Amino acid sequence: VSGIVTRSTYKAEVTDLRKLARAVADGKVPQNYICANQSALDAAARAQGAELERFVPGVKAVLVSNVSARRER
């Protein structure tokens, strides 16, 4: 059929996260090849508080305070 083109490209699939992380740690591949799961880390911080740093190397717990007010009825 005229006008239809098929194009093939490559995508990456992580098959061994530990090996990839080791390669990043060893400086063999760029750090931007891995990404921290921020929502999982935030959940761990809420659960462990300041103790998070003892269990997760390279991550620190940050205490965030929020102020809220309600309107009186």
Side-chain angles (χ1 to χ4, degrees), residues 7-56:
R7 187 179 78 176
S8 299
T9 59
Y10 283 99
K11 286 182 63 175
E13 177 181 321
V14 177
T15 58
D16 190 330
L17 186 57
R18 288 180 187 266
K19 281 185 180 179
L20 177 58
R22 174 53 53 204
V24 170
D26 291 344
K28 295 178 181 176
V29 298
Q31 186 174 344
N32 67 347
Y33 282 13
I34 58 176
C35 181
N37 184 336
Q38 192 64 49
S39 60
L41 291 170
D42 289 344
R46 286 190 300 274
Q48 298 173 357
E51 297 294 307
L52 176 71
E53 299 171 31
R54 290 182 43 215
F55 301 106
V56 185

